[in-house]
Amino acid sequence: MWKVTLQAFGVLLLAWFFFGNSVLGWFQQNNVKPQTQHSEEPSGASSDSQDQSCFCHLTGVLDDCFCDVESIDVFNNFKLYPRIKRLTEKDYFRYYRVNLKRPCPFWAEDAHCAIKDCHVEPCPESKIPVGIKSGNYNKYSHAANTNSDVTECEQAKELGAINSTLSNQSKQAFADWARHDDAQDYFCELDDETSPDSEYVDLLLNPERFTGYKGPSAWRVWNSIYEENCFKPRSVYRPLNPLAPSRGDDDGEVFYKWLEGLCLEKRVFYRLISGLHSSINIHLCAEFLLDEGWGRSVWGPNVQEFRQRFDTAETKGEGTRRLKNLYFLYLIELRALYKVAPYFERAFVNLYTGNMQEDGATKELLLQVFNEIKAFPMHFDEKSMFAGHKIEAKMLKEEFRLHFKNISRIMDCVGCSKCRVWGKLQTQGLGTALKILFSEKEIQNLPEHSPSKGFQLTRQEIVALLNGFARLSTSIQQLHSFRLLLKDNR
């Protein structure tokens, strides 16, 4: 008991030292008591502890940042999740344009899912709001969309005059160079939204859930992500990796010794990918295909599947690490939203769909989300990343960006169409968050009344950023639901 009290006191002391009155004021305002350990359990709690083994170590301060799990739970579940859920139901955020016909660039993918629930139902053009399908992805206001034809015609004339003496090969080279220059800020391989193969998907009608897609094809995707893109030598094996010689018998001791020896940036990269993987697994466990039946499929929470992926005993302690990485990823994307708020707070930025009343309500709700995020006192400090020698830091940042961009390309290797949509969206959302975190100076210098050439977000990036964070917020809310289900299963 004394040990628990000292831990709690230590967290509060650090909070006071780093954040002053802001942290304690937030707790008082929201009637929250920060805690790092549960109080003493009654004598009959042993069976309860067994049922709660997925959560018994999911507590306290997270590694690589100053924030505790309990504070995030309260903030997310009671303050942010209800608003972010309503926001993603708005027309501006529910339609995502994606190309599902792009081939896998790394191996011959012949394992496309034939299960009916893997299929994506594209949205007919007639149902897409006129402001979204207008194609002006960098423009947000009504004026920008209605006045764009003239400027685009003028640009076309200029380009035509400049290129009239160039060969087709040279024109193509210039186009490739321009795409390369534009891509320097991107952490993701973006779909070409003008491609005839791109189509709109209504995310509300195609929710993320377990479709039955599993086995070697699904495992190959994640194995390629971890083994080839997480700065890991082939001689070091991930815990529970079936290819490892020890098959996890060392409880990951070699792997975590290697991980702790990495610089902060590479360690963060692994934790982001692990957190994303955990979040997706929670969604699949919460919306599991329970019964196909003759009439309609039935989805719901699968406690046994959740235990298999996150139980401390069944995963040899990996489950707790996976869940903590989810919380770490949540803090990273939360910080990105905090940093990008000024971009959206400018009066001329409207989330344009063509329905003025709906657009106004969407913007107001988005600003409410930003206000809640600003009130949270324990944000991740990204300034400690890429803070070393300028040349080395620049090279490391570029390596970081290219590794993540490669992961976004692997999403084209996912055999299940519905899984591919959500995989693309969530990796693009995280890539957009990283782009924001590393564009601090450009965001600080944004002009108040006009667009900026230094920093810009496309509609596709905005949709992915908010929906991607909403998926993380949903994961943490679903953890609370699984906690209750595990108690009921005693």
Side-chain angles (χ1 to χ4, degrees), residues 355-412:
N355 183 333
M356 292 183 64
Q357 186 174 356
E358 168 84 3
D359 296 346
T362 303
K363 176 75 178 284
E364 183 179 354
L365 186 54
L366 179 63
L367 295 181
Q368 289 176 14
V369 168
F370 285 135
N371 287 336
E372 290 291 353
I373 291 172
K374 288 178 180 179
F376 185 70
M378 290 180 278
H379 283 282
F380 176 79
D381 183 7
E382 75 285 354
K383 290 181 181 177
S384 57
M385 294 179 63
F386 307 108
H389 189 275
K390 282 189 176 181
I391 296 178
E392 292 177 358
K394 186 176 181 180
M395 291 174 62
L396 183 59
K397 179 181 174 182
E398 179 64 8
E399 192 178 6
F400 193 99
R401 186 184 71 84
L402 292 175
H403 274 245
F404 192 85
K405 193 170 185 178
N406 209 46
I407 290 174
S408 72
R409 298 177 69 205
I410 294 175
M411 290 300 119
D412 282 319

Side-chain angles (χ1 to χ4, degrees), residues 48 55 84 104 115 155 191 196 224 317 372 405 412 455 469:
D48 182 54
F55 298 102
I84 202 78
C104 172
I115 303 171
Q155 289 173 353
D191 283 352
S224 177
E372 290 291 353
K405 193 170 185 178
D412 282 319
F455 178 83
F469 180 76

Side-chain angles (χ1 to χ4, degrees), residues 82-95 129 132 140 204 344-347 349-371 459 462-463 466-467:
R83 283 193 169 94
I84 202 78
K85 183 176 183 295
R86 285 189 2 242
L87 183 66
T88 53
E89 291 169 354
K90 295 291 188 181
D91 281 354
Y92 187 89
F93 291 102
R94 69 182 288 179
Y95 298 106
I132 291 177
Y140 308 102
L204 298 184
F344 292 97
E345 289 169 343
R346 295 175 297 173
V349 175
N350 295 314
L351 306 176
Y352 182 73
T353 67
N355 183 333
M356 292 183 64
Q357 186 174 356
E358 168 84 3
D359 296 346
T362 303
K363 176 75 178 284
E364 183 179 354
L365 186 54
L366 179 63
L367 295 181
Q368 289 176 14
V369 168
F370 285 135
N371 287 336
R459 178 187 171 273
I462 296 170
V463 171
L466 271 299
N467 273 285

